[in-house]
Amino acid sequence: MSPLLKIRAERDQMSAIERRIADFLLENAHLLRDYSSQQLANALGISQSSVVKFSQKLGYKGYPDLKYSIGQAVARGDGGEEAGTGETRRDDPHAALAESLWHLKAQAEAETRLINPPERIDAIAHAIQQAGKVFIIGLGEDGIPARAFATRLSMLGVLTVHYVDAILMQAGVSTAAPGDVLMVFSEHGRQPSLCQISHLFRERVGKVVSVTRHTPNPLRAHANDALLVSAHDERRHIEPLLYQSALQHLLDLIFILLCDASEDRRMQLDVNFERMQDLLDS
């Protein structure tokens, strides 16, 4: 696993000093061979022990091992460095932009996959598969992926209760029963109303799944399980695109697991697709 990829994925969970070290390593990976741990510490105005502890926290014996691993990743092109994907049309003015965006989305997806272990994904998919009802809510822009996922679950024959209003959802969860699942979509996980709904749902012995960024947030504290998204870019118009792309890939993975887990679900999906097509053709 690329150390640079791991650093990106874990950056949001780091302390302020650790983030400074992480940002320096990510921005200067190709120059790192010229830096000893003391030189790196001097460049950042921190102690040498902070550099050593940072390396050990990532699972390395010390800074030399981390530096060597990063050097190997850079040599392989396995660290998020900009790279082309093959020949492109010279007369295409958008080729470089498209390749760069594709690369950033692929990187965000890889980081997101890294912080969501397979056993967690399997547990969430299993909970949805076994649930009597799946409640889904997302406010504002978070409502877009929430609604899309609710629609997909409904197509599979999963009894889905979808709301875009926190007040209505608070009333709706009063019907929750043991084994039901509540999925709460909130990029930053800070809406008090969603935290309150999640708390109420857990009191009724339901399972809460939060869907947020990979950051400490109140909503995660109220969840039984968390789907986490890692997507970073300094440009404010790019970062939301990476978040949406990585989140969609994560939800697609769960949808496929649900399809693969039950032939009856797949048959129900086919039936619903046919009915929709009949309506469109009529």
Side-chain angles (χ1 to χ4, degrees):
M1 181 185 300
S2 167
L4 297 177
L5 181 60
K6 188 172 185 180
I7 290 171
R8 284 193 180 91
E10 295 296 329
R11 184 186 180 280
D12 286 343
Q13 301 291 82
M14 295 178 180
S15 67
I17 290 179
E18 290 170 343
R19 285 197 297 271
R20 288 173 59 192
I21 299 173
D23 291 342
F24 186 90
L25 296 181
L26 293 172
E27 294 169 6
N28 301 279
H30 59 294
L31 301 175
L32 204 57
R33 64 181 181 275
D34 299 325
Y35 282 83
S36 65
S37 59
Q38 186 61 63
Q39 289 171 324
L40 176 57
N42 291 341
L44 294 174
I46 59 177
S47 66
Q48 185 180 17
S49 63
S50 295
V51 177
V52 176
K53 290 178 181 177
F54 177 88
S55 305
Q56 292 172 340
K57 189 173 181 179
L58 289 175
Y60 296 90
K61 293 181 180 179
Y63 173 74
D65 287 340
L66 173 60
K67 181 169 73 168
Y68 175 79
S69 183
I70 290 176
Q72 293 292 99
V74 171
R76 294 192 305 267
D78 180 24
E81 297 297 319
E82 292 284 335
T85 57
E87 285 194 32
T88 58
R89 288 176 46 192
R90 294 185 178 182
D91 61 343
D92 183 355
H94 302 145
L97 177 62
E99 287 188 6
S100 175
L101 182 59
W102 176 89
H103 175 80
L104 291 171
K105 287 183 175 182
Q107 180 177 297
E109 184 277 323
E111 293 171 12
T112 296
R113 186 157 28 90
L114 177 65
I115 58 177
N116 291 279
E119 54 271 19
R120 182 191 302 163
I121 300 296
D122 288 339
I124 292 172
H126 180 73
I128 294 173
Q129 177 74 19
Q130 299 299 318
K133 297 185 295 295
V134 177
F135 296 78
I136 296 180
I137 186 171
L139 306 180
E141 289 190 7
D142 294 306
I144 298 173
R147 180 175 60 187
F149 193 63
T151 300
R152 285 190 170 185
L153 293 185
S154 296
M155 293 288 286
L156 282 175
V158 177
L159 180 55
T160 306
V161 182
H162 172 234
Y163 285 104
V164 295
D165 184 283
I167 296 176
L168 293 177
M169 177 58 87
Q170 190 151 11
V173 298
S174 64
T175 65
D180 286 351
V181 172
L182 168 65
M183 297 188 68
V184 188
F185 288 70
S186 176
E187 181 175 353
H188 301 289
R190 296 176 188 151
Q191 292 101 323
S193 60
L194 296 183
C195 293
Q196 185 177 358
I197 291 169
S198 299
H199 178 71
L200 176 63
F201 196 86
R202 287 190 67 173
E203 282 187 339
R204 301 191 67 84
V205 203
K207 184 182 184 69
V208 178
V209 178
S210 62
V211 185
T212 72
R213 279 188 173 274
H214 181 43
T215 54
N217 61 73
L219 185 58
R220 285 179 63 183
H222 290 281
N224 301 95
D225 275 314
L227 288 175
L228 304 172
V229 179
S230 178
H232 309 285
D233 196 277
E234 294 180 356
R235 294 163 293 180
R236 295 187 66 181
H237 64 293
I238 296 294
E239 190 170 55
L241 304 181
L242 305 185
Y243 176 84
Q244 294 159 14
S245 177
L247 172 58
Q248 187 60 59
H249 193 89
L250 188 60
L251 296 175
D252 287 347
L253 176 60
I254 293 176
F255 176 75
I256 292 174
L257 288 174
L258 292 171
C259 291
D260 291 345
S262 171
E263 184 177 355
D264 290 340
R265 297 286 193 200
R266 292 196 303 274
M267 292 176 61
Q268 184 64 58
L269 181 66
D270 291 339
V271 168
N272 285 330
F273 273 134
E274 290 176 4
R275 288 174 177 169
M276 288 178 63
Q277 192 60 50
D278 289 341
L279 289 173
L280 291 173
D281 293 341
S282 61

